[in-house]
Amino acid sequence: SLTPTEAPTQTPYIITATPDIGGTSSAPQEIFFLSLADAGYFHLFAYSPQTMPLTRLTANPWDDITPALSPNGKFLAFASNKNGYWDLYSLELASGNTTRLTDTPDYDAEPSWSPDGAYLTYESFQNSNLDVFVRSVTDSGQVYNLTQETAFDASPVWSPRGRQIAFISNRS
C-alpha cells in the first residue's frame, strides 16, 4: 500500500511515466519516479504534481536507486544494495512485491526497459571496468555484455523501437 510522506530535501532522480498504480485508474497519469535521501538511505518515491503527493515506495535500511518504469507501467526496475552489493530488482507497483533480477557481487545499476518489457539494459562494473549489459527479464540465464571495451560505458537506454541502445562512453 502506498502512503504519502513528507518531502525530502534531496534533488530527485526523475523518470517520467504513465503507469496505472493499483490498476484502478481509467486514464494514465504522468508520474515521476525518483530516488531521494531520507533518514540516511536512498529510497524510491512516486509523485504526480496534479494527482499524487510525494509517495514513498521503499523504506528499508539500505539504498534503492536509479528507478525505471516498465512499458506497461506495472513494474519499477531499480538498483539496491540490500544484500551488501548492488543488484537489480523489480518492484511490482500494485502489490509492492520485489524480485531480484541480478545476483552478482558486481555493481549493477541504471536499468532501462526494452519497449516490449522483455529485456533490461543496465551498467555493471566488472573486472575493473564499467560496461553495458542486456538481460532477459523472464529468463534469468540470458545475459549479454554489449560493450567489452576498456572505456567507461554507462547509463544505457533503449531506443523507442528497441533496435538500438544509447549509452555514455569516454571512448573518444
Side-chain angles (χ1 to χ4, degrees), residues 39-78:
Y41 297 99
F42 280 87
H43 302 293
L44 301 179
F45 293 83
Y47 174 68
S48 177
Q50 302 292 322
T51 61
M52 179 192 288
L54 189 63
T55 303
R56 179 186 298 276
L57 301 178
T58 62
N60 302 299
W62 55 75
D63 294 309
D64 298 324
I65 61 170
T66 64
L69 186 69
S70 65
N72 67 8
K74 295 181 179 183
F75 297 93
L76 196 65
F78 63 98

Side-chain angles (χ1 to χ4, degrees), residues 115-129:
D116 64 1
Y119 293 89
L120 282 173
T121 185
Y122 59 97
E123 66 186 31
S124 184
F125 190 79
Q126 298 182 10
N127 302 317
S128 300
N129 198 42

